[in-house]
Amino acid sequence: MFYRPVTPYNVHAFADVYDQASILLGLVQWYLADRDERCRRMIDDLVASVSRLADWDGTDYARIRCVAVRDGKPVAGREVRSTENENPEEPDEAWFGRFIPGLAMYAKATGKEEPLVLARALARDVAFRSGRFADDGSFSRTLHGERSVWTNGHLHSRTNTMAGVLRVAALTGEGDLAEWAEKVFRWTLTQGTSFGWFPEFVGREGVDCE
């Protein structure tokens, strides 16, 4: 995994799990561009690390229950001192759904089984077990109440997740995943403007658009 160094903002070096999803997607884009062997090894190592970190229920469902890794061990958000990670909530499955697009893209490009198995399990968990999305596809912050600090209703992590779930559906042929992704997409369209701006957080007042 890839660690943030010790800085005035980070008391300990740690691997932020949210970071890993962004890194994975970047590495996959690099690999797709030139099939770099060093890049492939880094992707394979990262996929294996994330797979070990996940909490599995058989092979159909997987969930990541920590926000970071420090000294090789999972840690909760309250144990990580960082200006970007002071969220007292439990880990948000929809944030970690951001792994799904990179995993699905890599699986399609290489035919490897492990990234597809992980992508499918994360997709099925976030869609059908996490409770982060309502039956109509909505993901408003108000779904979880005003005690929710800043993860619930976060639009671009949820749309990344939705796009990843759709990629998995295209690879596996699972219609229930495709139907779920379409519901989320259709609902999301109702939250923006006619000229393309959307809130950063759905269901919270006084936030910027992006």
Side-chain angles (χ1 to χ4, degrees):
M1 304 187 85
F2 295 83
Y3 278 65
R4 295 187 186 190
V6 174
T7 70
Y9 304 102
N10 300 324
V11 176
H12 304 281
F14 66 93
D16 186 289
V17 175
Y18 191 80
D19 289 354
Q20 310 309 304
S22 301
I23 292 165
L24 175 65
L25 187 59
L27 288 173
V28 169
Q29 296 287 357
W30 174 13
Y31 179 75
L32 293 177
D34 59 17
R35 296 298 200 259
D36 184 271
E37 183 63 18
R38 181 178 53 140
C39 180
R40 182 194 63 75
R41 290 194 299 269
M42 287 191 288
I43 295 172
D44 288 343
D45 288 345
L46 182 54
V47 170
S49 295
V50 175
S51 185
R52 288 192 299 270
L53 191 65
D55 184 2
W56 290 82
D57 182 0
T59 57
D60 288 335
Y61 300 94
R63 181 176 299 184
I64 299 171
R65 297 187 182 275
C66 68
V67 299
V69 173
R70 188 173 67 215
D71 299 326
K73 298 178 181 179
V75 293
R78 61 184 177 276
E79 299 176 69
V80 179
R81 292 184 59 187
S82 166
T83 56
E84 296 184 45
N85 216 338
E86 293 176 349
N87 177 22
E89 295 183 11
E90 290 300 307
D92 188 329
E93 296 82 10
W95 275 49
F96 301 147
R98 295 176 59 252
F99 279 108
I100 302 170
L103 290 166
M105 292 166 65
Y106 187 57
K108 181 179 179 181
T110 64
K112 289 177 177 286
E113 182 178 6
E114 184 176 15
L116 181 58
V117 169
L118 179 57
R120 177 180 178 271
L122 291 172
R124 296 199 67 83
D125 181 80
V126 75
F128 305 128
R129 287 191 172 184
S130 71
R132 296 296 184 179
F133 297 83
D135 290 341
D136 63 354
S138 63
F139 49 84
S140 174
R141 176 172 179 258
T142 58
L143 180 67
H144 298 277
E146 286 304 307
R147 292 184 63 188
S148 171
V149 180
W150 51 280
T151 60
N152 291 317
H154 188 241
L155 189 135
H156 75 249
S157 61
R158 278 152 177 72
T159 52
N160 283 178
T161 297
M162 174 268 296
V165 170
L166 189 58
R167 285 182 181 274
V168 172
L171 289 173
T172 66
E174 292 172 275
D176 56 347
L177 289 176
E179 291 170 7
W180 178 88
E182 182 177 9
K183 282 196 301 184
V184 175
F185 175 73
R186 297 296 179 193
W187 184 84
T188 303
L189 290 180
T190 69
Q191 302 303 302
T193 67
S194 61
F195 50 88
W197 289 96
F198 284 78
E200 183 179 4
F201 296 90
V202 176
R204 190 174 84 174
E205 295 182 0
V207 298
D208 296 331
C209 291
E210 57 184 8

